[in-house]
Amino acid sequence: MSGELDPRLLTRAREVVAAITGFRDDAISAEAVERAVRAELSRGRSSGDLLGELIHPMSPLATTLVRAVLVGETYFFRQPEHFRFIASEGVPAALRRGALALRGWSAGCATGEEAYSLAACLQASLPHGFPVEVLGTDLHEASLETARRATYGTWSRRESAPKLFPLYVETGERQVTILPVVRRVTTFAQANLLAPLPERFGRFDFILCRNVLTYFTPAARDAAISLLSRTLNPGGLLFLGAVEVDRVPPGMVREGPPELQAFRLLGPGESAAPSPRARAAVGARAPALALRPISPPVPAPVRVAAAVPPVPSRLHLTALERIEEGDEVGATAVLEALVRQSPDYLPGLLELALLRERSGAREAAVPLMRALRSRAERLPPDQLVDGPEALPARFYQASADAYLNQGTLE
Ligand SMILES: C[S@@+](CC[C@H](N)C(=O)[O-])C[C@H]1O[C@@H](n2cnc3c(N)ncnc32)[C@H](O)[C@@H]1O
């Protein structure tokens, strides 16, 4: 199917993808978005219908668009220096801290090669039977299904990344299968790096988040790193891709050479500033050699991930549960209380407006959308707004715009 597409639809599609993934606009493939939009139109849907659906951040169409733009390139033991460092430095340090089990997270794991590589690395670096667990998460469910199958072709093996630790066995002419011992300790779950990882997944000693943040806006990248660091055990290590950050994340210090992009979460009472003795030793060169923290030397207080969610999000979650149970009256009552109590909580305004719209009360939805737009306009567009999912202010502004301009669609 060819022909001109409604530019407002393409713009909105890109905004939705950017808001959900955290991607910069130039990291969103125009062809992928167009292809996905054309596929929907070829099913007989109109541009107006698609625009209407895209008002809601969690719509099926939004999911389809996100899937279309995600890039899942990965292979075993990619950036082998990270695995070597974990084996030679990270694991011994964790054992010295008295760890009784070691847990890793491959955040943005695509089809799972990184998660299995981390599990194999930990197992090979520890005494036999020492408890190890690795979690792999990604936004893309189809990639996670591939990961769970644990069978890979030649594309997952590259000469630039040697097989450092026992990981798989050949099970076909061009096919390998992950060793049962590695597979047993590795699990996969869908998760967005812009949202806090649910508490049930616990904390980690090693997090690999590589070749993911490179697509993100600076604000989304910082938000994701902050969420990642909150799930580390004190002393735990975060490994990022080669060019993904140019400074040390708050509350962390660099480990190993700068090009390793490895960061350690400071323990309680530990300071990022060099000790007075070290300062005296490096003398006038201290500023250049210092760890370039972007926060004050004392680590920023690390908020415990969602242990006590802020009240607006908690009420919001209650409303979402009611909506899921089909209790729209109950959900409306909770959302009305939420909007009265926290009129600046943008996700609440949007949720209530959409609920009213769905129940046919457009006249009650419009003032809420206007309030949403005027409040969102006052924030920097890239500022992430807390909610069940952290989304930038521009997302809320664009949602309200799209809704309020609906009369002019088609
Ligand atoms: C290029 S792959 C990198 C895979 C692996 N980390 C590696 O370095 O080989 C990037 C992965 O990040 C995932 N991703 C992108 N944005 C994400 C987000 N906001 N939350 C979770 N995963 C995301 C994509 O689906 C994709 O599978």
Side-chain angles (χ1 to χ4, degrees):
M1 193 178 155
S2 60
E4 284 299 295
L5 291 173
D6 183 340
R8 289 169 307 172
L9 177 54
L10 290 179
T11 304
R12 179 63 186 156
R14 300 178 73 80
E15 281 168 0
V16 167
V17 168
I20 293 174
T21 58
F23 282 16
R24 297 183 319 277
D25 191 60
D26 66 342
I28 300 173
S29 153
E31 298 85 67
V33 171
E34 274 201 39
R35 220 177 303 120
V37 167
R38 285 190 193 282
E40 291 296 316
L41 293 172
S42 72
R43 290 192 191 106
R45 300 185 66 183
S46 68
S47 295
D49 177 23
L50 299 186
L51 270 164
E53 184 173 341
L54 288 179
I55 288 170
H56 202 289
M58 310 297 174
S59 64
L61 177 55
T63 308
T64 304
L65 288 167
V66 166
R67 258 191 231 128
V69 304
L70 292 174
V71 180
E73 164 72 359
T74 185
Y75 45 91
F76 296 124
F77 297 114
R78 187 177 195 177
Q79 285 179 261
E81 63 280 10
H82 282 166
F83 299 100
R84 291 196 186 101
F85 188 83
I86 290 171
S88 64
E89 309 283 334
V91 168
L95 294 179
R96 280 195 300 276
R97 286 196 305 274
L100 298 174
L102 288 184
R103 306 191 69 241
W105 177 16
S106 162
C109 66
T111 39
E113 288 87 331
E114 183 182 80
Y116 288 126
S117 302
L118 177 57
C121 167
L122 293 176
Q123 286 182 327
S125 319
L126 285 161
H128 181 72
F130 191 96
V132 166
E133 278 175 13
V134 172
L135 171 69
T137 64
D138 203 279
L139 255 185
H140 198 281
E141 315 91 339
S143 292
L144 295 170
E145 278 161 30
T146 304
R148 290 188 189 102
R149 279 197 293 276
T151 296
Y152 296 93
T154 43
W155 191 241
S156 303
R157 292 171 278 161
R158 307 280 162 91
E159 281 189 8
S160 58
K163 184 178 167 192
L164 294 177
F165 306 101
L167 176 60
Y168 50 72
V169 284
E170 309 245 343
T171 46
E173 205 183 315
R174 301 162 71 81
Q175 177 190 288
V176 295
T177 299
I178 300 297
L179 292 169
V181 66
V182 177
R183 204 170 164 183
R184 256 197 307 278
V185 301
T186 313
T187 53
F188 295 94
Q190 193 190 27
N192 190 335
L193 290 170
L194 294 184
L197 189 70
E199 289 270 299
R200 67 176 183 282
F201 291 113
R203 287 175 175 260
F204 303 94
D205 305 289
F206 302 97
I207 299 178
L208 304 186
C209 183
R210 309 172 315 156
N211 310 299
V212 181
L213 305 178
T214 186
Y215 303 101
F216 283 26
T217 63
R221 181 200 58 198
D222 291 350
I225 290 177
S226 162
L227 290 169
L228 290 168
S229 70
R230 290 180 208 173
T231 68
L232 275 173
N233 283 320
L237 293 173
L238 169 65
F239 294 84
L240 301 175
V243 288
E244 290 179 327
V245 291
D246 56 2
R247 53 199 174 155
V248 179
M252 308 192 94
V253 287
R254 241 184 231 290
E255 285 286 301
E259 63 279 12
L260 196 66
Q261 292 285 64
F263 304 96
R264 179 171 60 83
L265 185 70
L266 293 165
E270 212 184 330
S271 165
S275 68
R277 226 175 56 194
R279 264 204 304 274
V282 293
R285 284 161 59 214
L289 291 180
L291 299 162
R292 289 200 294 147
I294 53 173
S295 61
V298 177
V302 176
R303 200 155 46 112
V304 177
V308 184
V311 173
S313 330
R314 218 168 40 213
L315 272 181
H316 192 169
L317 288 174
T318 307
L320 290 176
E321 275 164 25
R322 302 258 157 95
I323 292 172
E324 236 165 60
E325 290 157 7
D327 176 11
E328 291 216 345
V329 175
T332 306
V334 174
L335 286 171
E336 280 172 349
L338 170 59
V339 165
R340 258 197 317 277
Q341 180 191 308
S342 309
D344 290 326
Y345 177 68
L346 305 188
L349 287 169
L350 179 61
E351 202 69 60
L352 182 56
L354 291 172
L355 196 57
R356 291 204 163 137
E357 166 69 22
R358 280 202 296 276
S359 62
R362 185 172 163 82
E363 69 294 345
V366 168
L368 287 163
M369 287 293 193
R370 289 210 182 105
L372 176 67
R373 181 161 67 184
S374 75
R375 283 173 164 81
E377 272 169 2
R378 281 185 236 139
L379 299 175
D382 275 341
Q383 181 174 318
L384 284 176
V385 175
D386 259 349
E389 181 158 28
L391 295 168
R394 76 185 130 76
F395 176 80
Y396 291 97
Q397 188 184 336
S399 295
D401 278 342
Y403 182 85
L404 294 169
N405 298 337
Q406 255 187 126
T408 61
L409 299 178
E410 290 176 307

